[in-house]
Amino acid sequence: MRLFTLLLLCLSLVGCAAWDTVGETFSGVSDYFTGGADNTDPPKPLSEYTQELKIQVLWKESVGAGADEQTLKLVPGIGSAQIIAADHKGRVQARDLLTGKEHWDAKTELPFSAGPGIGHNTAILGTSDAEVLALNADTGTERWKAKVTSEVLAVPTIAHGIVIIHTTDGKVTAINEATGAKLWSYEVAVPALSIRGTASPVVVEDKLISGYDNGKLIALELKDGRYIWESSIAVPKGRSEVDRLVDLDTDPLEAAGVVYIAGFHGGVSAVSAVDGDVIWRNEEVSSSTGLSNDWRYLYLSDNDSDVWQLDLRSGASLWRQKDLHQRRTSAPASYGHYVVVGDFEGYVHWLSTADGHQMARVQISNSPIEAKPVVVDNIVYVYAKDGTLAALTVQ
């Protein structure tokens, strides 16, 4: 395990008592895990190449303080011809998809940590203070506020008038989208040591499917939270506690009745949405960022920030792009003949779906891009940690 990843883990483990304690012990982390030898792979410098595409920045705006240098799940949400984004200090903005013109700007003073999820004319956000806020997506006015059991680090999932909130204590809570009333809850025990973050569930017909920190994928009835099935995706292995982390913090992805999920350790798996049977498992590559797909392939950034293409049907590894090694790449977004990822220096990279080679890049910020890019009508929307929100397109 490389030092860079381990240091980030230690700063984000749920079991840490407080940030002050982490700060006091930080200097000893390297010796604890590596015996004093720094075996870190540094971020790979950007290489020069002939760009095959011309990227146009359609617009670029600022949404307050962004993630405020914290590890959060603040992402762009798309709905009703507008994009909605929030910062950690309580600001929420809606902007026109094509022009970036501001539609509304709500200042709530809530410490947002995840969202927004977009529902039926609602924008749902979770906070570090275990609250959920619903805003009118047209006006930015508050619809309701609800209390949950712990910090929200998963983007709310909304389907069939139900809001699903996955909190860091392992609990899934269902809330009525219109009223904010609690409908049901389901709890899974959280391991003593886990990575900071939780997965957003995916809805497949009448099922709610989500990954947990114990390495299991669990399906519940959406309407009442009744248990349907569970599947063991990642099994703890290795000698150290860090090596045995099996968190499934990436959001499950569904295509044609198959759910795809990646874990921090344990590889990538394809699971039947009907009964939880594992169709295939690729243990060669693991990820804690996320997945995307097109009609035939699956794409992901692994724990070393290398970008992979896998076959949807078999899980076979087809290509691996190493030019962005350790550049803290975001989850990839796939569209057309391109795969798009952000990195820790605010660059957005276009890769070829054919073989993964670099086709173009543009820098939209000096801040990391951790949120997965969002693609709508061949426009790529990117949100950096400093609050920079940008729309990009291939000319």
Side-chain angles (χ1 to χ4, degrees), residues 190-221:
V190 176
L193 197 65
S194 63
I195 300 171
R196 178 174 169 80
T198 46
S200 298
V202 64
V203 174
V204 184
E205 297 180 348
D206 57 352
K207 298 183 188 69
L208 182 75
I209 302 174
S210 185
Y212 292 85
D213 290 345
N214 59 6
K216 294 183 181 295
L217 191 69
I218 298 178
L220 308 173
E221 288 279 3

Side-chain angles (χ1 to χ4, degrees), residues 159-240:
H160 308 299
I162 299 175
V163 178
I164 303 297
I165 304 296
H166 189 177
T167 46
T168 56
D169 59 358
K171 183 172 287 188
V172 172
T173 302
I175 300 172
N176 185 291
E177 183 184 0
T179 66
K182 179 180 174 181
L183 301 175
W184 56 261
S185 66
Y186 183 90
E187 187 171 3
V188 173
V190 176
L193 197 65
S194 63
I195 300 171
R196 178 174 169 80
T198 46
S200 298
V202 64
V203 174
V204 184
E205 297 180 348
D206 57 352
K207 298 183 188 69
L208 182 75
I209 302 174
S210 185
Y212 292 85
D213 290 345
N214 59 6
K216 294 183 181 295
L217 191 69
I218 298 178
L220 308 173
E221 288 279 3
L222 177 62
K223 63 180 179 181
D224 57 14
R226 182 176 61 85
Y227 171 91
I228 303 175
W229 55 255
E230 70 177 53
S231 182
S232 293
I233 301 301
V235 178
K237 299 177 183 178
R239 298 175 61 182
S240 74

